[in-house]
């Protein structure tokens, strides 16, 4: 999955033929920020609401986006934040984590206009066209970000990023050794089970019919090293293990990244392992992360690996590098990893996208845009777009897509729900 998506040799995101675009009608898929500007505006408002609730900091605030695509979401966020002068002047930097050079260029053009793109030791840098004092900084991987400053306030968004991170798939099977010993049918209740990994294997060329994928998933004959770690990752897998055939999908990289986000917000109890001694200890947790993606609200993802090409679902094993591959996001898993990583965070949600967007005021904002539309056709387009974002039907994005928030937690302080998750705009009383 990693090679197919981000390898510099033929990765889907990293080496598209010049001029080809993954997004939009002519591309392979369309995302919420590309459907309507209202989406990004509301994410911006959410960040403004957090900035207000956390005491209207005057400095040390930084924005961060993982997988910014064409840059549309960050552009809409910045257009929105610009209207709140005190917040805009509190911004120190904008960090973008982006694996693709082509998309970095598109983001640079949109967010920085004429300001040149300079190469740095760890990535690239330019200045924001909306806020000329604020640098936009690109890195290809979270690990290349400068260490979190103890006083920093990160406002983080990841839209359709986690679904692109590699998963491992495991299936519960009866342990071979034990089942040989339990020939007695009365002992079926006490069968022992183990996790086995489903691995990508090439198919025999003589079996292939034209246009069939060259790879398939097959059950490993013995447990792979990863299989032994499943139970240690989370207690959530245990109840499924005793049922032969249960399949779970796990994205260790997603768990590592969300842990890093959590420690940026809430600090960590563990001293950082970094050689320069820079820690992630934090006296006062601050900041927020908003994770928007698709996946089940409560259950563990299963059988969700998919390929998308030209707006159609295809085998994830077909045309490697030309097909977008993704998997459902395990929201409970992300929340659990964040809480385990930092004593200074809480998680809210996941809320369905329709619920979150409605609570954020999508109807009022979309109506305003519709009223200002120049032509009837434009008005119809505006209305169609925002309705698709909240449509809970099979073709809409309101139900499958979810929002998960990670917020600071300070012991002894009253729990505050963020806007869109049952909370209202609140002024910090301190
Ligand atoms: N957020 C955008 C784009 C979603 S597509 C939108 O909603 O429109 C996924 C994005 O994540 C792309 O920008 C892709 O290049 C980037 N990406 C995918 N895997 C990545 C990885 N491992 N590291 C960094 N960026 C990655």
């Amino acid at each position: 999955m990693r090679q197919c998506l981000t390898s510099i040799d033929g990765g889907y995101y990293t080496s598209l033929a010049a001029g080809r675009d993954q997004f939009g009608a002519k591309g392979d898929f369309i995302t919420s920020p590309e459907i309507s500007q209202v989406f990004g505006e509301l994410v911006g408002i959410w960040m403004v609401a957090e900035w207000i609730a956390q005491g209207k900091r005057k400095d040390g605030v930084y924005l961060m986006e993982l997988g910014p695509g064409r840059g549309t979401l960050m552009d809409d966020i910045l257009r929105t934040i610009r209207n709140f002068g005190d917040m805009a002047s509190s911004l120190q930097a904008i960090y973008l984590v982006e694996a693709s050079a082509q998309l970095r260029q598109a983001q640079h053009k949109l967010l920085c206009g004429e300001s040149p793109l300079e190469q740095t030791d760890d990535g690239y840098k330019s200045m924001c066209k909306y806020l000329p004092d604020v640098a936009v900084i690109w890195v290809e991987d979270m690990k290349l970000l400068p260490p979190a400053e103890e006083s920093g306030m990160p406002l983080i968004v990841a839209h359709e990023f986690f679904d692109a991170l590699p998963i491992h798939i495991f299936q519960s099977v009866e342990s071979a050794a034990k089942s040989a010993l339990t020939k007695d049918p009365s002992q079926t209740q006490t069968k022992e089970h183990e996790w086995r990994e489903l691995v990508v294997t090439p198919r025999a060329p003589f079996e292939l019919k034209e246009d069939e994928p060259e790879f398939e998933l097959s059950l490993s004959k013995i447990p792979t090293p990863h299989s032994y770690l499943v139970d240690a990752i989370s207690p959530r897998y245990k109840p499924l293990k005793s049922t032969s055939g249960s399949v779970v999908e796990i994205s260790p990289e997603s768990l590592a990244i969300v842990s890093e986000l959590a420690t940026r917000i809430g600090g960590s109890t563990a001293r950082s392992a970094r050689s320069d001694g820079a820690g992630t200890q934090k006296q006062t947790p601050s900041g927020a992360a908003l994770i928007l993606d698709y996946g089940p609200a409560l259950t563990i993802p299963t059988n969700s690996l998919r390929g998308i090409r030209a707006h159609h679902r295809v085998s994830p094993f077909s045309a490697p590098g030309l097909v977008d591959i993704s998997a459902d996001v395990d929201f409970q898993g992300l929340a659990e990893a964040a809480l385990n990583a930092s004593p200074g965070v809480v998680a809210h949600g996941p809320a369905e996208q329709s619920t979150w967007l409605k609570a954020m005021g999508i109807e009022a904002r979309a109506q305003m845009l519709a009223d200002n539309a120049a032509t009837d056709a434009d008005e119809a387009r505006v209305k169609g777009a925002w309705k698709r974002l909240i449509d809970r039907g099979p073709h809409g994005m309101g139900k499958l897509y979810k929002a998960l928030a990670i917020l600071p937690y300070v012991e002894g302080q009253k729990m505050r729900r963020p806007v869109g998750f049952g909370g209202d705009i609140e002024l910090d009383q301190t």
Side-chain angles (χ1 to χ4, degrees), residues 6 13 23 31 33 67-69 98-100 103 140 159-161 164-165:
T6 55
Y13 285 112
F23 304 84
T31 59
E98 175 56 69
S100 155
L103 289 171
E140 284 176 14
H159 182 260
E160 290 216 32
F161 170 74
L165 298 183

Side-chain angles (χ1 to χ4, degrees), residues 149-170:
E149 274 178 44
E150 130 102 65
S151 61
M153 178 184 190
L155 293 171
I156 305 166
V157 63
H159 182 260
E160 290 216 32
F161 170 74
F162 283 99
D163 66 66
L165 298 183
I167 57 165
H168 288 259
I169 312 178
F170 302 94

Side-chain angles (χ1 to χ4, degrees), residues 2 5-6 13-14 22-23 29-34 65-73 97-100 103 107 139-142 158-161 163-166 253 257 324:
R2 182 197 310 282
L5 292 179
T6 55
Y13 285 112
T14 36
Q22 297 96 339
F23 304 84
F29 55 85
I30 182 121
T31 59
S32 297
E34 301 292 338
E65 182 175 359
L66 312 183
R70 281 173 165 177
T72 312
L73 174 58
V97 180
E98 175 56 69
S100 155
L103 289 171
Q107 293 153 18
V139 290
E140 284 176 14
D141 191 294
M142 285 278 290
H159 182 260
E160 290 216 32
F161 170 74
D163 66 66
L165 298 183
E253 197 171 333
I257 290 178
D324 178 38

Side-chain angles (χ1 to χ4, degrees), residues 180-200:
L181 293 175
T182 53
K183 285 269 157 54
D184 176 357
S186 66
Q187 288 196 17
T188 48
Q189 292 305 311
T190 56
K191 275 176 191 163
E192 297 256 346
H193 286 79
E194 65 188 19
W195 291 112
R196 293 266 193 89
E197 192 158 6
L198 286 160
V199 288
V200 179

